[in-house]
Each structure stands twice: as structure tokens, then as C-alpha cells.
Amino acid sequence: MQQYTSYYFLGIGGIGMSALARYFHAKGFQVAGYDKTETKLTKELISEGIAINYEDDPKVIPLRYKNPDTCFVVLTPAIPRENKQWGYFVQNDFQIKKRAQVLGQITQLGRGLCIAGTHGKTTTSTMTAHLLNESHVTCNAFLGGVSQNFDKNILLSEKTDLVVIEADEYDRSFYHLSPYMAVITAADADHLDIYGSRDEFRSSFEYFTSLVKEEGCLIIRKGLPITSKAKHSVKIYSYSGTDGGDFHADNIRIANGEIIFDFVSPTAILKDMHLGVPVLVNVENAVAAMAIAWLNGVEEKEIREGIASFKGIRRRFDFHVKKETITYIDDYAHHPTELVQSIQSIKALYPKKKVCGVFQPHLFTRTRDFAPEFSEALSLLDDLILLDIYPARELPIEGVSAQMILENVRLRDKMLCSKEALVAELPNHTFDVLVTFGAGDIDQLIPAVKAYCEKI
């Protein structure tokens, strides 16, 4: 990779791709890319000096990125094979690598702190990066979300070789990593279009454990059905929110919009830790992040101050309106287990208030494979507005629609709605808390939904 002077990203607006683009741009390389749609993130990249186009046509690729001897192409699995720009680079013998391969090459040079899991990995990895960054240890980080503390999905430091990495299981991307320390937060089945079966999905996490380097550490959520294949010299720890383990939380208190708990480690108890993001599900994520920090020498005072000052992640339980009369939250939850955890956390924060959820299913395959579980999770709401499926990289599947989920939701107040009609539909619903859920383009509705809620 050293001979290249420019990098072109196909799918540059993806959260992981944008972190890599920022990395190469910060290192002084020329960086540009293509994405299907303009977003807040792509606008930020452009403002930082990265060129982006939105037309799938090789003609719009800038001239400096058309030389295979000097330009390296990075690809996201979300780009369809019929993409014309991809075809151009293939036909002209460019060096093309997947995002995970490039990230793996970068991080093999340092000590990777790799956080994997079906859910919880973005929050846990961002918390970990924040704790280390706010301490004397410091870190580099490639994250799957935009931190509200440093307003980026990347951290770069010349002072350390520690690199926090969100280890993505999609397309077996995390197989390319070489963790010094690894965390597995969850292994609920997902991406069955890739893995084929729940057993194969679970096996992928077991293989991931085998990648931890000699003398490294593996931290697994207590109770996960994963058999470690780590090397004999790897230290293995368990953790949980409230279920015990080597690292866990104790004496949890929720009052006045605040969560306080004691952090229990193998050798010490850190009492009265104030969680900066007062959401119950984040207690468990915080325990994992604090465990990594503790194992890397972050001091008690630094952990205490860091976890209290953590502001959260864009689109992860993100508060947009907080008034006496109305609360509006946006959350990235797109898997049934994530929805359950998010809704239960909301109910714990607002036990006597009516919660209306707007959910945009993500992918036809995920809807097909988990429709009953989605119905069960969404039944925890008081009112449901269900949007059409966001297809992302997929073509429609005959017989698969949002109706599959809606028909088994056990709520009196439930309905299907188009994304375009959502804001006009909201006045027909009464609620104290409104939540938008989904990993698709539902975030484009946030400004209009926020404006409506602020008027109530």
C-alpha cells in the first residue's frame, strides 16, 4: 500500500468506510469516493477536504484517481456487483480491497482492542475509546458510530500503538483482524443471508476468538453460547451487567434521570460510578469498556471521570427533544434483541409514560428471517408506526414486507405508514415519548420529526 498516493472509496458514506477515508486523508493522501446518497456524514467529509460524487458513472471519477499505479481502491460489501464505477476499476486492473482487509492491515501493526458482537459493539467500542482517550494511556480508534464527545468516528494518536476497533461480523469482516484484546458482547443470530444458519453464525464468533494474539485477553459476555478457541496463553474473562462474572455491575440505582452503580473487577470495587448516558442497557456496555480500560492501566480516577463524561453516540439512544411534555429519541436498533433492550431501557426511564415507536425494518432477508422476533419486540411499545422495509444492498423478496411484522404485533395501536407520510401522521397519535428506530435512511426524517415534537 505504500506506493499509492491516492485512495478511492466505493461506499465512502458508510460509517466504517468514512473512518478509513479520514485516516488516509489525515496521513496526507489524496482521498475521494462514491456513495449512493448525500448524508450528513458525506457533507462532513466534503467539508474536511474529501471529494465525493453520487453518480454511478466512471466519467465522474476525478482524473487523479484513474491511474492504477498510484490509486488504491477500497470497497464496502454494501456496493452491488453491477456498480459501474466498481466495474471500471476491475476492468482497468486497479488494486481493490475490502474495507475489512485494509483495516486489518493497518491494525496488525499495533495492539488491537477489538469489540465484536451482534449488538452493543458500537457503544462499547466508543466508550472504550473515550475512556482511553481521556486517560494518560490514550488510543487510536476506528469506530462504527460518531462519538458525541469528539464528533468523529476516528481517533489518531502518535503516543500509543493501542487501536480500538469495532469488529464487524457482517461478511466475516472480523476474520481479517489480529486482536491483542477482544470483547464479544452478544452472539444473537443475524446476517443469515451470509452465514446460512444460526450455528454457522455462532461458529464465526468462535473462530474470531482464535485470532487473539499470544499473551492477549478475551472478554466474553457471561452466558454466551460460545466455546472459546483462544490460544492457551490468552487470558479469558467474563463480564455482565448484573449477572456476575469477573467484571460486573453491582448496586445499580436509577433516580432523577441518573444511573449510578459499583464496578466490580477481579481485584477491586469502584463504587458509585456515574454513567454519562443514563440508559439501563448501557450499564453492561460500560462494564465491558471499563474492563478494557482497567486491563490497559487506566487509573480509577480516570475511569470514573471518563464514564461520567461520556456523551453517547450519534443515532444510539440519541436524545433530540427533552421537555416536560415530550421526549424524542432516535436509536439505531435494527435487530430484535436491540429493540427489546432499547424499549426496556426507555420504559425503565419513563415507567408511567406512553411510548410510541416508529420502526423502519432493515433488509428483506432480516425481516424474513426474524419477523416473529420483531413482532414480539415491538409489542413492548404502547403505539407502533411501522414503515416500509429499507432494502439497502438487497432486491425485494416476493412475499416479504413489513406486514409480516405488523400482523403479529400485540398492540391495539399499530399501523403501516410510508416514510413520506410519517410527519403528517404523527398528530393522529398521542404519546409522551417518541422513538425512531432503524439502520436505514430513517435518520433523514429526524429534523422534521424533531421540529414537530418541539411544537407540542
Side-chain angles (χ1 to χ4, degrees):
M1 293 169 62
Q2 294 180 350
Q3 73 267 32
Y4 298 100
T5 59
S6 60
Y7 287 81
Y8 193 85
F9 289 78
L10 290 169
I12 196 168
I15 194 70
M17 291 284 279
S18 61
L20 274 180
R22 281 169 160 158
Y23 168 81
F24 285 108
H25 187 254
K27 294 294 184 181
F29 295 96
Q30 295 292 326
V31 177
Y34 157 82
D35 211 283
K36 186 177 179 180
T37 55
E38 182 182 62
T39 64
K40 181 178 181 180
L41 186 50
T42 59
K43 291 177 181 177
E44 290 173 355
L45 294 176
I46 290 171
S47 72
E48 294 165 19
I50 295 173
I52 299 177
N53 60 75
Y54 305 99
E55 185 181 355
D56 183 18
D57 187 339
K59 293 179 181 178
V60 302
I61 300 171
L63 187 60
R64 73 165 67 244
Y65 301 95
K66 288 189 171 183
N67 185 345
D69 295 326
T70 58
C71 180
F72 188 98
V73 179
V74 186
L75 176 75
T76 174
I79 291 290
R81 289 192 174 275
E82 59 270 21
N83 181 275
K84 295 175 184 176
Q85 290 198 21
W86 183 6
Y88 168 83
F89 289 121
V90 170
Q91 291 162 15
N92 289 279
D93 297 322
F94 279 75
Q95 181 72 256
I96 304 172
K97 295 288 185 183
K98 289 183 178 179
R99 175 188 63 85
Q101 293 172 299
V102 177
L103 182 60
Q105 289 179 11
I106 292 171
T107 55
Q108 280 172 9
L109 302 175
R111 290 178 293 159
L113 309 176
C114 303
I115 289 84
T118 317
H119 45 84
K121 59 181 176 288
T122 299
T123 300
T124 302
S125 58
T126 309
M127 278 182 169
T128 301
H130 175 69
L131 289 174
L132 292 169
N133 189 52
E134 291 295 299
S135 77
H136 73 283
V137 177
T138 73
C139 71
N140 299 273
F142 291 88
L143 305 171
V146 177
S147 164
Q148 303 280 29
N149 287 89
F150 41 87
D151 205 31
K152 290 268 180 73
N153 54 351
I154 186 171
L155 281 175
L156 297 175
S157 172
E158 299 290 341
K159 300 177 181 178
T160 181
D161 66 341
L162 288 174
V163 187
V164 179
I165 306 152
E166 179 169 335
D168 187 7
E169 75 277 4
Y170 176 70
D171 199 32
R172 296 178 174 84
S173 292
F174 58 0
Y175 284 15
H176 297 284
L177 301 176
S178 301
Y180 161 60
M181 293 185 179
V183 176
I184 300 179
T185 63
D188 302 277
D190 198 4
H191 308 301
L192 298 186
D193 56 319
I194 298 293
Y195 289 97
S197 71
R198 295 168 191 251
D199 285 343
E200 187 65 23
F201 182 81
R202 188 193 68 252
S203 295
S204 71
F205 281 92
E206 294 181 349
Y207 177 77
F208 175 70
T209 67
S210 74
L211 302 177
V212 180
K213 294 178 179 179
E214 296 277 1
E215 310 298 331
C217 291
L218 173 62
I219 307 170
I220 302 181
R221 167 67 171 86
K222 186 179 179 183
L224 291 187
I226 293 174
T227 301
S228 170
K229 295 184 178 179
K231 302 170 182 67
H232 291 302
S233 63
V234 171
K235 294 181 181 178
I236 301 177
Y237 298 95
S238 62
Y239 84 95
S240 76
T242 57
D243 297 334
D246 298 308
F247 298 93
H248 63 273
D250 195 15
N251 192 25
I252 299 173
R253 288 143 283 164
I254 305 175
N256 301 318
E258 190 173 36
I259 293 180
I260 304 170
F261 65 95
D262 299 341
F263 172 64
V264 181
S265 75
T267 59
I269 299 176
L270 280 57
K271 290 188 174 292
D272 300 330
M273 309 301 289
H274 290 248
L275 186 59
V277 280
V279 183
L280 196 56
V281 67
N282 280 333
V283 172
E284 184 171 286
N285 297 327
V287 168
M290 293 160 76
I292 286 281
W294 183 85
L295 289 168
N296 282 283
V298 179
E299 297 171 358
E300 175 180 343
K301 181 175 182 291
E302 294 172 329
I303 292 177
R304 185 179 299 280
E305 292 177 350
I307 208 66
S309 63
F310 182 67
K311 296 179 181 178
I313 307 158
R314 191 185 297 173
R315 294 224 63 222
R316 263 64 174 191
F317 222 96
D318 203 353
F319 285 86
H320 288 276
V321 177
K322 248 181 155 179
K323 302 196 306 183
E324 292 258 342
T325 53
I326 182 73
T327 298
Y328 170 42
I329 303 166
D330 177 59
D331 192 61
Y332 194 71
H334 58 284
H335 183 279
T337 305
E338 293 172 341
L339 286 168
V340 169
Q341 291 179 338
S342 187
I343 296 168
Q344 287 178 340
S345 294
I346 294 166
K347 292 284 189 174
L349 275 178
Y350 304 103
K352 297 181 181 179
K353 296 192 174 183
K354 184 177 180 181
V355 180
C356 175
V358 181
F359 178 54
Q360 182 189 49
H362 184 258
L363 300 177
F364 288 98
T365 51
R366 186 179 283 125
T367 302
R368 177 197 64 196
D369 295 336
F370 300 103
E373 291 88 342
F374 277 120
S375 300
E376 190 70 22
L378 295 168
S379 295
L380 297 173
L381 294 164
D382 301 305
D383 187 355
L384 170 65
I385 303 174
L386 189 61
L387 304 185
D388 295 327
I389 296 171
Y390 181 77
R393 57 188 176 268
E394 295 182 338
L395 295 174
I397 298 175
E398 187 176 353
V400 176
S401 70
Q403 180 63 35
M404 292 176 65
I405 297 173
L406 188 76
E407 61 190 16
N408 291 314
V409 172
R410 301 185 313 277
L411 292 177
R412 182 191 65 185
D413 298 324
K414 62 178 183 177
M415 67 169 297
L416 289 174
C417 180
S418 69
K419 185 181 72 171
E420 294 74 19
L422 174 63
V423 177
E425 175 60 33
L426 290 177
N428 299 323
H429 300 255
T430 57
F431 48 80
D432 305 299
V433 181
L434 178 66
V435 195
T436 46
F437 297 109
D441 61 356
I442 191 171
D443 60 314
Q444 294 179 7
L445 297 173
I446 291 174
V449 173
K450 179 179 178 180
Y452 170 76
C453 290
E454 285 176 335
K455 292 177 183 176
I456 296 179

